[in-house]
Amino acid sequence: MDGTFAYDKFYEMNAESDHGSLVAMSKSINQHRWYRVLSTYTTKLNENWDVDGGIDFRYYKGIHTNKLSDLYGGDYFIDSSSRGNVKTANNKAAAAGDLFVNQKLGIGDVVYRDYDCYVVSEGVFGQVEYSNDLITAFASGSISNNSYWRYDRFYYDKEHAKSEVKNYLGFTVKGGLNYNLNENHNVFGNIGYISRAPFFSMGVFASSATSHTTNPNSVNEKIFSVELGYGYKSRFFSANLNLYRTLWKDKTLARSFDEEDQDGGVLDRISITMTGVNALHQSIEFDFVAKPLHWLDFRGMFSLGDWKWNSNATGYFYDSTGQPVSKIDKLKGEAWSIVYASGIHAEDHASMQLDLKGARVGGSAQTTAALGVDINFTKNIRFGALYNFFGRNYSDWSLSASDLVYNGSKAYESPWVIPAASTVDINGSYSFNIGGVKATLFW
């Protein structure tokens, strides 16, 4: 599979069909509207104390629909896979049975989804800071209410179009302190806790494109972080050494894979949505700048991280249209098909436990280093070079059809390590005057 399509085969297939277009194209229409009111207040109480705060109101509306754009030679299209999941209790039009499910649709008609999502938040924030020659300290916090709801014109009639409004209260608390031991040495520390409202999709709503059903396991994501460090600075050399430990709790993750049919083709794109995923990120970091000569600078850094998933998770299966999957029917001698659950998170909704605890977090190098030099040949000409190293970069874990165990479990070990890599960046600049205006060329 090279990702290309033989569109002439689509036309041949649709021409031979007695049931309209078997393959059609729809265009996904997504419109976004953001509004925000932000007001801040800052005051200096005296030479040591500063206070600021404010309000932050946000409103978001997303309009999402799919409309048929090409029938590939066919006369009509029947969207039975989506319309078959419209329940009479939610939309009276579904009471027509096969007349509704097998309605003949043409260019411009809506398929699969037609809904609006709303996210509204109201928040306040503030910070107080104290500083003198020895100490700089701050404490800050914020609190916000986040409201989510959806309005659906496809799976629900006007009477049931608006979902319930789900509210989540989030907050942040942070504090930090820097103490200057003398003119060369300082120590510092930071601590913070964040309780962040879940995301609209795969967080608040179990299948946000097709259903008002909310995720019963949806809770705020929590982040607790501590950092301690030491700093040194002088005319010729400065450096920082710090350690951090960040615990992420109740993250929401999603993965998808191609479920194959009996002939090895793609039956559908299946996704699994997981909640209650935890991760632990901790690291030691060092950076420095050395100035042995007024025209020569050396700089570098080193970071050694230890990032692991810290819990196991349970996820639920959905097809490509967001419908809950119960199982794949693999009857011998017959075409394989998806069996749908009676409802989202119903007893027959297939789930799977993923044993992630101890597996490495992928997507970012956990060992990084850099070493660079800047040379000022003259007041106007500068040259620089920077070497970067990236190691212990783990691939993110993924699912394949062979991993699929409906109502079972799958254990994951640390994934493949991407080979270490390095880059060299070379840069420079030349400054000059043009008509009394200073200009700089960068390369």
Side-chain angles (χ1 to χ4, degrees):
M1 296 291 290
D2 59 3
T4 60
F5 295 93
Y7 286 97
D8 57 326
K9 300 298 182 181
F10 293 166
Y11 280 90
E12 293 176 7
M13 186 188 307
N14 291 342
E16 296 173 357
S17 171
D18 296 326
H19 305 287
S21 295
L22 300 180
V23 179
M25 177 182 288
S26 70
K27 58 181 178 181
S28 179
I29 302 171
N30 302 281
Q31 301 178 41
H32 308 278
R33 299 173 185 174
W34 286 276
Y35 303 92
R36 185 181 186 187
V37 175
L38 176 64
S39 179
T40 60
Y41 172 78
T42 302
T43 185
K44 191 171 184 67
L45 300 179
N46 54 45
E47 64 178 6
N48 301 117
W49 291 92
D50 293 282
V51 177
D52 63 72
I55 58 172
D56 189 0
F57 297 157
R58 307 184 191 193
Y59 173 92
Y60 167 77
K61 177 183 180 181
I63 304 170
H64 307 282
T65 188
N66 276 55
K67 293 184 178 180
L68 287 171
S69 58
D70 197 331
L71 298 178
Y72 295 127
D75 296 324
Y76 59 88
F77 178 74
I78 296 176
D79 186 24
S80 57
S81 62
S82 299
R83 286 175 167 250
N85 288 291
V86 178
K87 296 178 172 56
T88 305
N90 299 328
N91 190 336
K92 295 176 182 177
D98 289 343
L99 292 177
F100 172 78
V101 173
N102 298 319
Q103 182 179 346
K104 297 179 179 180
L105 306 174
I107 299 297
D109 286 336
V110 173
V111 293
Y112 167 43
R113 62 172 192 169
D114 185 15
Y115 75 101
D116 305 332
C117 65
Y118 295 85
V119 181
V120 179
S121 68
E122 312 89 19
V124 296
F125 59 89
Q127 176 173 295
V128 58
E129 181 178 349
Y130 174 83
S131 63
N132 59 31
D133 293 338
L134 293 178
I135 295 175
T136 301
F138 79 93
S140 66
S142 67
I143 187 169
S144 63
N145 179 66
N146 300 271
S147 304
Y148 303 87
W149 71 93
R150 62 192 305 278
Y151 190 95
D152 195 308
R153 293 169 291 272
F154 190 94
Y155 294 90
Y156 300 82
D157 55 28
K158 189 174 182 179
E159 181 181 353
H160 303 91
K162 183 179 178 180
S163 71
E164 66 172 317
V165 178
K166 298 289 290 184
N167 294 291
Y168 295 83
L169 193 65
F171 66 91
T172 65
V173 179
K174 300 179 183 178
L177 173 69
N178 178 81
Y179 181 73
N180 296 320
L181 301 172
N182 54 41
E183 64 179 6
N184 300 117
H185 303 272
N186 69 288
V187 291
F188 58 90
N190 296 287
I191 188 170
Y193 185 87
I194 300 173
S195 177
R196 184 170 64 187
F199 293 111
F200 184 94
S201 299
M202 300 180 298
V204 178
F205 291 96
S207 183
S208 62
T210 61
S211 174
H212 287 342
T213 302
T214 55
N215 188 343
N217 301 320
S218 179
V219 295
N220 282 16
E221 180 178 337
K222 293 92 173 173
I223 306 167
F224 177 70
S225 185
V226 177
E227 178 188 28
L228 295 174
Y230 162 78
Y232 173 83
K233 61 181 178 181
S234 69
R235 179 180 174 185
F236 301 105
F237 183 80
S238 62
N240 293 290
L241 176 68
N242 70 292
L243 302 90
Y244 73 80
R245 178 183 172 91
T246 301
L247 178 62
W248 299 68
K249 296 189 67 176
D250 296 320
K251 292 172 66 70
T252 299
L253 294 178
R255 293 291 187 272
S256 59
F257 59 92
D258 289 330
E259 178 65 84
E260 297 181 350
D261 60 20
Q262 68 275 15
D263 298 320
V266 177
L267 181 63
D268 200 359
R269 187 74 176 168
I270 303 295
S271 63
I272 181 170
T273 302
M274 296 153 285
T275 56
V277 184
N278 303 338
L280 178 63
H281 291 204
Q282 49 192 359
S283 177
I284 180 171
E285 299 177 332
F286 173 75
D287 66 86
F288 75 92
V289 176
K291 298 176 178 289
L293 300 168
H294 73 276
W295 51 268
L296 179 64
D297 294 350
F298 291 102
R299 50 197 164 90
M301 60 78 62
F302 176 76
S303 176
L304 181 63
D306 181 23
W307 306 344
K308 293 181 180 180
W309 296 110
N310 204 31
S311 70
N312 299 323
T314 298
Y316 287 86
F317 292 96
Y318 299 88
D319 73 356
S320 59
T321 66
Q323 305 301 332
V325 173
S326 177
K327 62 180 181 178
I328 305 299
D329 202 346
K330 300 181 178 181
L331 297 178
K332 188 174 181 180
E334 299 183 17
W336 294 359
S337 62
I338 296 174
V339 178
Y340 293 99
S342 57
I344 293 174
H345 287 196
E347 288 188 6
D348 58 346
H349 189 181
S351 64
M352 179 176 174
Q353 178 175 307
L354 290 96
D355 299 333
L356 297 172
K357 189 171 184 178
R360 294 284 181 179
V361 174
S364 294
Q366 297 193 27
T367 299
T368 58
L371 182 63
V373 60
D374 286 313
I375 304 173
N376 295 289
F377 290 106
T378 69
K379 204 163 110 178
N380 300 321
I381 301 175
R382 184 193 62 80
F383 170 83
L386 180 65
Y387 170 82
N388 298 283
F389 172 81
F390 309 94
R392 295 171 60 239
N393 190 352
Y394 296 87
S395 61
D396 213 348
W397 64 272
S398 62
L399 282 173
S400 64
S402 60
D403 296 323
L404 186 61
V405 184
Y406 288 102
N407 299 312
S409 64
K410 167 71 178 180
Y412 280 87
E413 298 178 356
S414 291
W416 176 65
V417 183
I418 301 171
S422 59
T423 63
V424 176
D425 300 326
I426 298 176
N427 59 83
S429 65
Y430 172 64
S431 300
F432 55 95
N433 292 322
I434 300 180
V437 178
K438 187 174 181 179
T440 304
L441 292 176
F442 295 94
W443 57 274

